[in-house]
Amino acid sequence: MHATGTPDWITELTAEPAALVPGDAWALSWDGAHEGVVVIAQVHDDFVLGIPLTHGEASSTEIPAVLGEVAVTLWPQAETGLGTFLLHRRLGRVLGDAQLREMRRWAAGRGELETLVPGSGAANVDDLMRLLQDYQRRCFIEWPSETEVTIDVNATGMTPRQFRDATGLDTERVVDLWDGHLLTAEERELVDASWTTHASTIPTRELSSPDVKLLVVELCEAAGTSEREARNAARSAYALAARTDSVSERASTRAADTLRLLIQDAHAS
C-alpha cells in the first residue's frame, strides 16, 4: 500500500517488514500523502533521527549511494528528528554501521570520508535550504499533539465517582477517561490542568510503531478520516481491545487487533 504522491522509483522497490535499524531507508507518510524518504541514523523510543534521501545526482556536500538498483543521494546536513508514526515502508539497506558513523562525523566536521566519497555536482545551497525546510515541517508533525491529553488519575486525588460529581461528566465517560481515553477540547475546559498529562503512554507508543502503520492507513481509507483522527480513535478503543478475550496479552498485538476491529466497523457502517 503506497501513499498518494509516492514517486515511481519508490513503488518499484520491494518493501520488507523489519525492526528499525540505523542504515535502513524508509518512506514516510502522513494523512495518506508521501512525505519523502530517510535513512535512519539513530533510533529512540518514539522518534528516529533521519537523513533525507532523494533520487538524483549528489553534489559535493552530499553522498551518493544505491538503494536496490537505484542511484540516490544522502543529505547528512539535513538530519532531522521524526516521529516513528511517519515511517510507512522499509525500502532496504543503504549504509552499514561504520559507513553511517563515517558520514555523520564528516557532515559534522569531525572526520574525513574514508570509504565513502562526496558527489561530483556543484553544491547548491538553495536545494539544501528547501530540503531543510521540508523536513523541519515534518519534524513538527506530532502525534499526540500537546493538546491531546489524558487524565492523570493519581493527580486528581479522587475516585471516579468524586470526579464525576466535580466535573458533571456522566459515569460512562468517566470510566473511559480512567481507562486512558483522550479528553475532548470541551472536557479540558472542565478539569484542572494539573489533573492532565500528555498522552504518551503504552497505547500511544504501540500505535506509533511502523508495525501498524499500514493498518492505520487502511482505517483512514475505510472510515474516511484523517490519520490523526484514526490514531486517536484507535487509542480510545485500545483499552476495550485489551479486555477482549480473543486478543493477545502482547501490547503490540492489542494495537494491531484494535485497528483491525475499527476497520471492520468502518466497512460495516
Side-chain angles (χ1 to χ4, degrees):
M1 184 183 296
H2 301 287
T4 301
T6 302
D8 290 342
W9 70 269
I10 294 176
T11 63
E12 293 170 0
L13 293 168
T14 301
E16 300 177 0
L20 296 180
V21 176
D24 282 356
W26 283 74
L28 310 174
S29 76
W30 180 248
D31 267 348
H34 176 69
E35 289 284 358
V37 178
V38 295
V39 168
I40 295 177
Q42 287 185 357
V43 179
H44 298 268
D45 285 344
D46 56 358
F47 73 96
V48 298
L49 295 181
I51 297 168
L53 178 154
T54 60
H55 184 213
E57 183 181 4
S59 80
S60 58
T61 57
E62 297 124 36
I63 300 294
V66 176
L67 176 55
E69 298 181 354
V70 179
V72 295
T73 294
L74 298 171
W75 300 72
Q77 297 89 345
E79 183 177 300
T80 308
L82 301 160
T84 54
F85 55 84
L86 291 173
L87 299 171
H88 188 111
R89 293 176 68 231
R90 178 183 177 272
L91 302 178
R93 190 78 166 158
V94 177
L95 296 175
D97 293 342
Q99 289 179 314
L100 181 60
R101 288 193 298 270
E102 176 185 325
M103 183 179 67
R104 296 181 77 211
R105 287 179 61 82
W106 172 74
R110 299 200 306 269
E112 299 298 325
L113 293 177
E114 297 177 2
T115 64
L116 301 170
V117 294
S120 57
N124 191 322
V125 176
D126 291 339
D127 285 350
L128 176 59
M129 291 306 298
R130 278 193 292 270
L131 197 73
L132 281 167
Q133 290 172 353
D134 282 346
Y135 278 85
Q136 285 170 353
R137 174 183 61 78
R138 291 159 189 155
C139 174
F140 287 112
I141 299 174
E142 292 184 317
W143 181 78
S145 70
E146 289 298 324
T147 61
E148 290 164 335
V149 297
T150 60
I151 287 292
D152 183 342
V153 174
N154 293 328
T156 68
M158 302 181 192
T159 65
R161 178 176 293 180
Q162 290 170 330
F163 186 83
R164 179 201 63 186
D165 294 342
T167 60
L169 297 173
D170 61 53
T171 300
E172 183 178 358
R173 181 56 182 160
V174 171
V175 171
D176 286 342
L177 295 177
W178 245 244
D179 279 337
H181 289 210
L182 294 175
L183 286 160
T184 66
E186 293 76 15
E187 289 167 345
R188 291 200 303 273
E189 295 180 359
L190 294 175
V191 304
D192 191 300
S194 65
W195 299 345
T196 64
T197 185
H198 185 248
S200 180
T201 60
I202 289 175
T204 299
R205 288 195 297 273
E206 296 300 338
L207 289 164
S208 294
S209 168
D211 293 341
V212 299
K213 176 74 174 189
L214 295 185
L215 287 171
V216 172
V217 172
E218 187 176 348
L219 176 58
C220 292
E221 294 176 352
T225 63
S226 69
E227 184 162 342
R228 183 175 302 281
E229 290 168 336
R231 288 182 177 278
N232 285 343
R235 194 188 181 287
S236 295
Y238 185 98
L240 177 61
R243 295 193 295 269
T244 302
D245 292 339
S246 63
V247 177
S248 167
E249 289 300 317
R250 289 179 59 249
S252 58
T253 302
R254 290 204 298 268
D257 284 353
T258 298
L259 287 159
R260 291 188 183 100
L261 289 171
L262 290 174
I263 291 166
Q264 291 173 4
D265 290 344
H267 283 305
S269 62

